[in-house]
Amino acid sequence: MSGGLVHYQAIAELVPHGSRVLDLGCGKGELLAYLQQHRGCTGYGVDLQDANVLAGVQRGVNVLQLNLDEGLHMFAN
């Protein structure tokens, strides 16, 4: 994690243990991986870039390759 550990810790304090998380524009999935490991969260990351999707999957995060400008029709409101 590139210096973001303090930020991840601060965000994690706001997320209830065991939450389902949808991380839009998840990048390489670092935050979602942190939440899974430290808060017992589950969920999905969404990113458009091939390299980010691959990095997230390699990190053990469920990542969907979607264009956010086209909407998230697969997720309920």
Side-chain angles (χ1 to χ4, degrees):
M1 286 179 219
S2 57
L5 181 58
V6 173
H7 291 82
Y8 296 155
Q9 289 171 336
I11 293 169
E13 290 178 15
L14 302 172
V15 178
H17 186 77
S19 293
R20 290 177 47 196
V21 176
L22 181 60
D23 186 0
L24 303 176
C26 69
K28 297 178 182 178
E30 293 171 328
L31 175 60
L32 189 51
Y34 185 90
L35 293 173
Q36 288 175 342
Q37 292 170 359
H38 297 278
R39 301 297 290 171
C41 294
T42 59
Y44 289 91
V46 176
D47 206 280
L48 184 58
Q49 301 299 316
D50 293 337
N52 288 344
V53 172
L54 178 60
V57 169
Q58 289 174 333
R59 187 171 264 115
V61 173
N62 295 318
V63 181
L64 301 172
Q65 189 171 26
L66 297 172
N67 185 337
L68 294 176
D69 291 333
E70 295 174 7
L72 299 170
H73 305 289
M74 64 185 354
F75 294 100
N77 290 333

